[in-house]
Coordinates of all heavy atoms in Angstrom, one line a residue:
Chain A
P187 N 19.0 28.0 2.9 CA 20.1 28.4 2.1 C 21.3 27.5 2.1 O 21.5 26.8 3.1 CB 20.5 29.8 2.6 CG 20.0 29.7 4.0 CD 18.8 28.8 4.1
G188 N 21.9 27.3 1.0 CA 23.1 26.4 0.9 C 22.6 25.0 0.6 O 21.5 24.7 1.0
E192 N 27.0 22.3 -2.6 CA 27.9 23.4 -2.4 C 29.0 23.1 -1.3 O 30.2 23.5 -1.5 CB 27.2 24.6 -2.1 CG 26.5 25.3 -3.3 CD 25.4 26.3 -3.0 OE1 25.1 26.4 -1.8 OE2 24.9 27.0 -3.9
L193 N 28.5 22.5 -0.2 CA 29.5 22.3 0.8 C 30.4 21.2 0.4 O 31.6 21.2 0.7 CB 28.7 21.8 2.1 CG 29.4 22.2 3.4 CD1 29.5 23.7 3.5 CD2 28.6 21.6 4.5
A196 N 32.9 22.6 -1.9 CA 33.8 23.5 -1.2 C 34.8 22.7 -0.4 O 36.0 23.0 -0.4 CB 32.9 24.3 -0.2
E197 N 34.4 21.7 0.3 CA 35.3 20.9 1.1 C 36.3 20.1 0.3 O 37.4 19.9 0.7 CB 34.6 19.9 2.0 CG 33.8 20.6 3.2 CD 33.1 19.6 4.0 OE1 32.9 18.4 3.6 OE2 32.7 20.0 5.1
N198 N 35.9 19.8 -0.9 CA 36.9 19.1 -1.9 C 37.5 20.0 -2.8 O 38.2 19.6 -3.8 CB 36.1 18.0 -2.6 CG 35.8 16.9 -1.6 OD1 36.6 16.1 -1.2 ND2 34.5 16.7 -1.3
Q199 N 37.3 21.4 -2.6 CA 38.0 22.4 -3.4 C 37.7 22.2 -4.9 O 38.6 22.3 -5.8 CB 39.5 22.3 -3.2 CG 39.9 22.6 -1.7 CD 39.9 24.0 -1.4 OE1 40.6 24.9 -1.9 NE2 39.0 24.4 -0.5
V200 N 36.5 21.8 -5.2 CA 36.1 21.7 -6.7 C 35.5 22.9 -7.1 O 34.5 23.5 -6.6 CB 35.1 20.5 -6.8 CG1 34.5 20.4 -8.2 CG2 35.7 19.2 -6.4
S201 N 36.0 23.5 -8.3 CA 35.5 24.7 -8.8 C 35.1 24.5 -10.3 O 34.5 25.4 -10.9 CB 36.4 25.9 -8.6 OG 37.6 25.6 -9.3
R240 N 28.2 12.2 2.7 CA 29.1 12.5 3.8 C 29.7 11.3 4.5 O 30.8 11.2 4.8 CB 28.4 13.5 4.8 CG 29.4 14.3 5.5 CD 28.8 15.5 6.2 NE 29.7 16.2 7.1 CZ 30.5 17.1 6.7 NH1 30.6 17.4 5.4 NH2 31.4 17.7 7.5
Q241 N 28.8 10.4 4.9 CA 29.2 9.2 5.5 C 29.6 8.1 4.5 O 30.1 7.0 4.9 CB 28.1 8.6 6.4 CG 27.9 9.3 7.8 CD 27.1 10.6 7.7 OE1 26.4 10.8 6.7 NE2 27.3 11.4 8.7
N242 N 29.3 8.4 3.2 CA 29.7 7.5 2.2 C 29.0 6.2 2.4 O 29.6 5.1 2.3 CB 31.2 7.3 2.1 CG 31.7 6.8 0.8 OD1 31.0 6.8 -0.2 ND2 32.9 6.2 0.8
M243 N 27.7 6.2 2.7 CA 27.0 4.9 2.9 C 25.5 5.3 2.7 O 25.1 6.4 2.8 CB 27.2 4.4 4.3 CG 26.9 5.3 5.4 SD 27.0 4.5 7.1 CE 28.7 4.3 7.3
V251 N 23.1 2.9 12.6 CA 24.3 2.9 13.5 C 23.9 3.6 14.8 O 24.3 3.3 15.9 CB 25.5 3.5 12.8 CG1 26.7 3.7 13.8 CG2 26.0 2.7 11.7
H252 N 23.2 4.7 14.6 CA 22.9 5.6 15.8 C 21.6 5.4 16.5 O 21.4 5.7 17.6 CB 23.0 7.1 15.3 CG 24.4 7.4 14.9 ND1 25.3 8.0 15.7 CD2 24.9 7.4 13.6 CE1 26.4 8.3 14.9 NE2 26.2 7.9 13.7
I307 N 25.1 18.4 33.2 CA 26.5 18.8 33.5 C 26.7 18.7 35.1 O 27.7 18.2 35.5 CB 26.8 20.3 33.0 CG1 26.9 20.2 31.5 CG2 28.1 20.8 33.6 CD1 26.9 21.6 30.8
I310 N 27.2 15.2 36.0 CA 28.6 14.8 35.6 C 29.6 15.2 36.7 O 30.4 14.5 37.2 CB 29.0 15.3 34.3 CG1 28.2 14.6 33.2 CG2 30.5 15.1 34.0 CD1 28.4 15.2 31.8
S314 N 30.5 12.0 38.5 CA 31.7 11.5 37.7 C 33.0 12.1 38.1 O 33.9 11.4 38.4 CB 31.5 11.8 36.2 OG 30.3 11.2 35.7
V315 N 32.9 13.4 38.3 CA 34.2 14.1 38.6 C 34.5 14.1 40.1 O 35.6 13.7 40.5 CB 34.1 15.6 38.1 CG1 35.4 16.4 38.5 CG2 33.9 15.7 36.6
V322 N 31.8 9.7 32.7 CA 31.5 11.0 32.3 C 30.6 11.0 31.0 O 29.7 11.8 30.9 CB 32.8 11.8 31.9 CG1 32.5 13.1 31.3 CG2 33.5 12.0 33.2
G323 N 30.9 10.1 30.1 CA 30.1 10.0 28.9 C 30.4 8.8 28.1 O 31.0 7.8 28.6
I328 N 35.5 2.3 26.4 CA 36.2 2.2 25.2 C 37.2 1.0 25.3 O 38.0 0.9 26.3 CB 36.9 3.5 24.9 CG1 35.9 4.6 24.6 CG2 37.9 3.3 23.7 CD1 36.4 6.0 24.4
G329 N 37.3 0.1 24.4 CA 38.1 -1.0 24.5 C 37.3 -2.2 24.9 O 37.7 -3.4 24.7
S423 N 24.4 15.3 23.3 CA 25.6 16.1 23.1 C 26.3 16.3 24.5 O 27.6 16.2 24.5 CB 25.0 17.5 22.6 OG 26.1 18.4 22.6
S426 N 28.0 12.8 25.3 CA 28.6 12.1 24.1 C 28.0 10.7 23.9 O 28.6 9.7 23.6 CB 30.1 11.8 24.4 OG 30.7 13.0 24.8
P428 N 26.3 8.2 21.6 CA 26.4 8.1 20.2 C 25.0 7.8 19.5 O 24.9 6.9 18.7 CB 27.3 7.0 20.0 CG 27.2 6.1 21.2 CD 26.8 7.0 22.3
S432 N 23.8 13.5 17.5 CA 25.1 14.0 16.9 C 25.0 13.9 15.4 O 25.5 14.8 14.7 CB 26.3 13.2 17.4 OG 26.1 11.8 17.2
F435 N 22.8 16.8 14.2 CA 23.4 18.0 14.3 C 24.4 18.2 13.1 O 24.4 19.2 12.4 CB 24.2 18.1 15.6 CG 24.8 19.5 15.8 CD1 24.1 20.5 16.5 CD2 26.1 19.7 15.4 CE1 24.7 21.7 16.7 CE2 26.7 20.9 15.6 CZ 26.0 21.9 16.3
D436 N 25.2 17.2 12.9 CA 26.2 17.2 11.8 C 25.5 17.3 10.5 O 26.0 18.0 9.5 CB 27.1 16.0 11.9 CG 28.1 16.0 13.0 OD1 28.4 17.0 13.6 OD2 28.5 14.9 13.4
S439 N 24.2 20.8 9.9 CA 25.4 21.7 9.7 C 25.9 21.5 8.3 O 26.5 22.5 7.7 CB 26.5 21.4 10.7 OG 26.0 21.6 12.0
R441 N 24.3 20.4 5.7 CA 23.2 20.3 4.7 C 23.1 18.9 4.1 O 22.8 18.8 2.9 CB 23.4 21.3 3.6 CG 23.4 22.8 4.1 CD 22.0 23.2 4.6 NE 22.0 24.7 4.9 CZ 22.2 25.2 6.0 NH1 22.5 24.4 7.1 NH2 22.1 26.5 6.2
Chain B
Q167 N 33.8 13.7 8.9 CA 32.9 13.1 8.0 C 33.4 11.7 7.5 O 32.7 10.8 7.2 CB 32.7 14.0 6.7 CG 33.8 14.4 5.9 CD 34.5 15.7 6.4 OE1 34.7 15.8 7.6 NE2 34.9 16.5 5.5
A173 N 40.9 15.4 0.0 CA 41.1 16.8 -0.3 C 41.4 17.6 1.0 O 41.5 18.8 1.0 CB 39.8 17.4 -0.9
T305 N 35.4 8.4 -2.6 CA 34.4 7.5 -2.0 C 35.0 6.1 -1.7 O 34.2 5.2 -1.3 CB 33.2 7.3 -3.0 OG1 33.7 6.8 -4.2 CG2 32.5 8.6 -3.2
N310 N 37.4 5.4 5.5 CA 36.8 5.2 6.8 C 37.6 4.2 7.7 O 37.2 4.0 8.8 CB 35.3 4.8 6.7 CG 34.5 5.9 6.3 OD1 34.9 7.1 6.5 ND2 33.4 5.7 5.7
R325 N 31.0 5.3 15.5 CA 30.5 6.6 15.1 C 29.8 7.3 16.2 O 29.0 6.7 16.9 CB 29.6 6.5 13.9 CG 30.5 6.2 12.6 CD 29.6 6.1 11.4 NE 30.3 5.6 10.2 CZ 30.8 6.5 9.3 NH1 30.7 7.7 9.4 NH2 31.5 6.0 8.3
G326 N 30.0 8.6 16.3 CA 29.4 9.4 17.4 C 30.2 9.3 18.7 O 29.9 9.9 19.7
H328 N 34.1 7.5 19.1 CA 35.6 7.5 19.1 C 36.2 6.7 18.0 O 35.5 5.8 17.4 CB 36.1 7.0 20.4 CG 35.8 5.5 20.7 ND1 34.6 5.0 21.2 CD2 36.5 4.4 20.4 CE1 34.6 3.8 21.2 NE2 35.8 3.3 20.8
R347 N 48.1 1.9 22.6 CA 46.8 2.2 22.0 C 46.5 3.7 22.1 O 47.0 4.4 23.0 CB 45.7 1.5 22.9 CG 44.5 1.1 22.1 CD 43.7 0.1 22.9 NE 43.4 0.5 24.2 CZ 42.1 0.3 24.7 NH1 41.2 -0.2 24.0 NH2 41.9 0.7 26.0
I349 N 43.3 6.4 21.5 CA 41.9 6.6 21.4 C 41.7 8.1 21.1 O 42.2 9.0 21.8 CB 41.1 6.3 22.7 CG1 41.4 4.9 23.2 CG2 39.6 6.5 22.4 CD1 40.9 3.7 22.4
R351 N 38.6 10.5 21.1 CA 37.2 10.6 21.6 C 36.6 12.0 21.1 O 37.3 13.0 21.0 CB 37.1 10.6 23.0 CG 36.8 9.2 23.6 CD 36.5 9.2 25.0 NE 35.2 9.9 25.3 CZ 34.7 10.0 26.6 NH1 35.3 9.4 27.6 NH2 33.5 10.5 26.7
Y352 N 35.4 11.9 20.7 CA 34.6 13.1 20.3 C 33.6 13.5 21.3 O 32.7 12.7 21.6 CB 34.0 12.9 18.9 CG 35.2 12.7 17.9 CD1 35.5 11.5 17.4 CD2 35.9 13.8 17.4 CE1 36.5 11.2 16.6 CE2 36.9 13.6 16.5 CZ 37.2 12.3 16.1 OH 38.3 12.1 15.2
V353 N 33.8 14.6 21.9 CA 32.8 15.2 22.9 C 32.4 16.5 22.4 O 33.3 17.4 22.3 CB 33.5 15.3 24.3 CG1 32.5 15.8 25.3 CG2 34.1 13.9 24.7
R354 N 31.2 16.6 22.0 CA 30.8 17.9 21.3 C 30.8 19.1 22.3 O 31.1 20.2 21.9 CB 29.3 17.7 20.8 CG 28.8 18.9 20.0 CD 27.5 18.6 19.3 NE 27.6 17.6 18.3 CZ 28.2 17.7 17.1 NH1 28.6 18.9 16.8 NH2 28.2 16.7 16.3
D355 N 30.5 18.9 23.5 CA 30.3 20.0 24.5 C 31.6 20.3 25.2 O 32.2 19.4 25.8 CB 29.2 19.6 25.5 CG 28.9 20.7 26.4 OD1 29.0 21.9 26.0 OD2 28.7 20.4 27.6
A357 N 32.2 21.8 27.9 CA 32.1 21.5 29.4 C 32.2 20.0 29.5 O 32.8 19.6 30.6 CB 30.8 22.0 29.9
G358 N 31.7 19.2 28.7 CA 31.8 17.8 28.8 C 33.2 17.3 28.6 O 33.7 16.4 29.3
A361 N 35.0 18.1 31.9 CA 34.6 17.1 32.9 C 35.4 15.8 32.6 O 35.9 15.2 33.6 CB 33.1 16.9 32.9
A362 N 35.4 15.4 31.4 CA 36.1 14.1 31.0 C 37.5 14.2 31.3 O 38.2 13.2 31.8 CB 35.8 13.8 29.6
E364 N 39.0 16.2 33.6 CA 39.1 16.3 35.1 C 38.9 14.9 35.7 O 39.6 14.5 36.7 CB 38.1 17.2 35.6 CG 38.4 17.7 37.1 CD 37.5 18.9 37.5 OE1 36.6 19.2 36.8 OE2 37.8 19.4 38.6
A365 N 38.0 14.1 35.1 CA 37.7 12.8 35.6 C 38.8 11.8 35.3 O 38.8 10.6 35.7 CB 36.3 12.3 35.2
D367 N 39.3 10.7 32.2 CA 38.9 9.9 31.0 C 39.6 10.3 29.8 O 39.7 9.5 28.8 CB 37.4 10.0 30.8 CG 36.6 9.3 31.8 OD1 37.2 8.7 32.8 OD2 35.3 9.3 31.7
D526 N 24.9 30.5 9.5 CA 25.6 29.3 9.8 C 26.6 28.9 8.8 O 26.8 29.7 7.8 CB 24.6 28.1 10.1 CG 23.9 27.6 8.8 OD1 24.1 28.2 7.8 OD2 23.3 26.6 8.9
R527 N 27.4 27.9 9.0 CA 28.5 27.6 8.2 C 28.2 27.4 6.7 O 28.8 28.1 5.8 CB 29.2 26.3 8.7 CG 30.4 25.9 7.9 CD 31.2 24.8 8.7 NE 32.4 24.4 7.9 CZ 32.4 23.2 7.2 NH1 31.3 22.4 7.2 NH2 33.4 22.9 6.5
P528 N 27.2 26.5 6.3 CA 26.9 26.4 4.9 C 26.5 27.7 4.3 O 26.9 28.0 3.1 CB 25.8 25.3 4.8 CG 25.9 24.6 6.2 CD 26.4 25.6 7.2
T529 N 25.6 28.4 4.9 CA 25.1 29.7 4.3 C 26.3 30.7 4.2 O 26.4 31.4 3.2 CB 24.0 30.3 5.2 OG1 23.1 29.3 5.5 CG2 23.3 31.4 4.5
I531 N 29.5 30.0 3.8 CA 30.3 29.6 2.7 C 29.7 30.0 1.4 O 30.4 30.6 0.5 CB 30.6 28.1 2.8 CG1 31.6 27.8 3.9 CG2 31.2 27.6 1.5 CD1 31.9 26.4 4.1
K532 N 28.4 29.8 1.3 CA 27.7 30.1 0.0 C 27.8 31.6 -0.3 O 28.1 32.1 -1.3 CB 26.3 29.6 0.1 CG 25.4 29.8 -1.2 CD 24.1 29.2 -1.0 CE 23.1 29.7 -2.0 NZ 23.5 29.6 -3.4
K567 N 38.0 32.1 -7.4 CA 37.4 30.9 -7.9 C 36.0 30.8 -7.2 O 35.9 30.4 -6.1 CB 38.3 29.7 -7.6 CG 39.5 29.7 -8.4 CD 40.1 28.3 -8.5 CE 41.3 28.2 -9.5 NZ 41.9 27.0 -9.6
V570 N 34.7 28.1 -4.4 CA 35.8 27.5 -3.7 C 36.1 28.4 -2.4 O 36.5 29.5 -2.6 CB 37.1 27.3 -4.5 CG1 38.2 26.6 -3.7 CG2 36.7 26.5 -5.8
P571 N 35.9 27.9 -1.2 CA 36.0 28.7 -0.1 C 37.5 28.9 0.3 O 38.4 28.2 -0.2 CB 35.4 27.8 1.0 CG 35.5 26.4 0.6 CD 35.5 26.5 -0.9
R573 N 39.4 31.4 -0.5 CA 40.3 31.9 -1.6 C 39.9 33.4 -1.7 O 39.4 34.0 -0.7 CB 39.9 31.3 -3.0 CG 40.1 29.8 -3.0 CD 41.6 29.4 -3.1 NE 41.8 28.0 -3.1 CZ 41.8 27.2 -4.2 NH1 41.7 27.8 -5.4 NH2 42.0 25.9 -4.1

Side-chain angles (χ1 to χ4, degrees):
Chain A
E192 279 163 354
L193 211 64
E197 285 180 345
N198 289 291
Q199 299 283 296
V200 173
S201 61
R240 202 164 172 83
Q241 280 81 19
N242 199 19
M243 60 172 66
V251 171
H252 295 269
I307 291 170
I310 288 173
S314 304
V315 177
V322 172
I328 294 173
S423 175
S426 306
S432 57
F435 185 91
D436 289 337
S439 303
R441 299 289 190 269
Chain B
Q167 59 272 44
T305 57
N310 287 336
R325 286 181 187 264
H328 66 275
R347 209 161 56 133
I349 307 288
R351 262 188 73 175
Y352 296 98
V353 181
R354 184 173 295 283
D355 182 35
E364 196 170 7
D367 287 4
D526 69 352
R527 181 169 176 258
T529 311
I531 285 178
K532 180 177 164 58
K567 290 198 171 182
V570 180
R573 300 284 178 94

